[in-house]
Amino acid sequence: MKISTTTLGKRTHTSVAIVYLDGVANDLIIEELQKRLELIDTDGVISAGQIESNIIDNKYALFPQMLYTERVDKFCANILEGRVGIMINGIPVVYIVPVDINSFMQAPEDYALTLYKAPFSGFCGIPALL
């Protein structure tokens, strides 16, 4: 696992880390992400949306171009699958790139439960006991 850090914000000096598995993640995506982060010129980073708006390709796209989560298990699973994570100091969410429509259909429970248990986990407050 590799962590590449940069500092954004002329006044806030907010640390932003790019997290990925070397040899698994696409090097072109990592390089492009680093370039886009370097181009951000702001006085301060106070929300994740500031960084997202400068990284995405199309602000008016029908589907999101980045996945964000607060869940550590979801973040780790995506890193293991070859995606790249973006962590921002002081902000409790992380971004994951690149994503496709399937990324938004997958729940973290899909990794821990079988095909038949996952749809019913938490259904009406009833835990999956199957």
Side-chain angles (χ1 to χ4, degrees), residues 46-62:
I46 56 172
S47 73
Q50 288 175 289
I51 293 176
E52 179 182 8
S53 65
N54 287 289
I55 292 176
I56 60 175
D57 289 327
N58 183 359
K59 295 178 184 178
Y60 304 107
L62 184 59

Side-chain angles (χ1 to χ4, degrees), residues 47-101:
S47 73
Q50 288 175 289
I51 293 176
E52 179 182 8
S53 65
N54 287 289
I55 292 176
I56 60 175
D57 289 327
N58 183 359
K59 295 178 184 178
Y60 304 107
L62 184 59
F63 295 104
Q65 298 167 45
M66 300 174 76
L67 176 68
Y68 69 92
T69 185
E70 295 177 355
R71 294 188 60 149
V72 177
D73 56 346
K74 188 169 187 174
F75 178 73
C76 292
N78 279 281
I79 297 299
L80 287 171
E81 290 174 357
R83 292 187 175 88
V84 180
I86 305 165
M87 301 173 75
I88 307 160
N89 187 30
I91 298 177
V93 297
V94 295
Y95 282 111
I96 299 165
V97 294
V99 294
D100 56 10
I101 190 68

Side-chain angles (χ1 to χ4, degrees), residues 29-47:
I29 293 172
I30 297 163
E31 290 172 17
E32 182 64 26
L33 186 57
Q34 288 172 337
K35 285 180 194 174
R36 291 184 187 199
L37 285 173
E38 288 173 5
L39 292 175
I40 297 174
D41 184 28
T42 183
D43 283 339
V45 176
I46 56 172
S47 73

